[in-house]
Amino acid sequence: FRQFLPVKVFASKDLEEVEHHQSRLRKIGYSAHVVNVGTSCKMKALRLGPYPTASQAKVIRKTMRSILFEDAYLVAPAKSARS
């Protein structure tokens, strides 16, 4: 069973700020998507991926940390109902 890993690069309650960073990433060739975070969905997170291997995701995380998003991290895969 293969697990795909997204990289979270930014989060905020301010959707406009999230979309600003999404646009900046798009301009340099990254396709980031916005996801709701938390039970109230007030936080918005900007993610890249998911990537099929941890090593690919780590390369992206390192790149993001070096260009703008020093708090970028790998998002743990959701646990399946079978676990």
Side-chain angles (χ1 to χ4, degrees):
F1 166 54
R2 184 178 221 170
Q3 296 185 23
F4 295 88
L5 298 170
V7 177
K8 190 224 43 128
V9 293
F10 183 77
S12 175
K13 289 182 180 179
D14 183 349
L15 180 59
E16 190 173 306
E17 185 178 15
V18 173
E19 289 174 339
H20 168 75
H21 287 297
Q22 182 181 32
S23 176
R24 292 179 74 187
L25 286 167
R26 198 173 288 132
K27 287 178 184 176
I28 60 171
Y30 291 94
S31 178
H33 55 278
V34 178
V35 296
N36 293 321
V37 179
T39 55
S40 67
C41 296
K42 289 183 180 178
M43 289 291 291
K44 307 294 182 198
L46 189 57
R47 292 184 179 175
L48 297 169
Y51 298 95
T53 67
S55 60
Q56 288 175 320
K58 288 176 182 177
V59 168
I60 296 298
R61 178 187 63 190
K62 183 177 180 180
T63 302
M64 291 299 110
R65 286 180 173 177
S66 72
I67 62 171
L68 179 65
F69 303 100
E70 62 188 40
D71 294 328
Y73 65 88
L74 304 182
V75 177
K79 293 187 178 193
S80 71
R82 295 181 202 173
S83 298

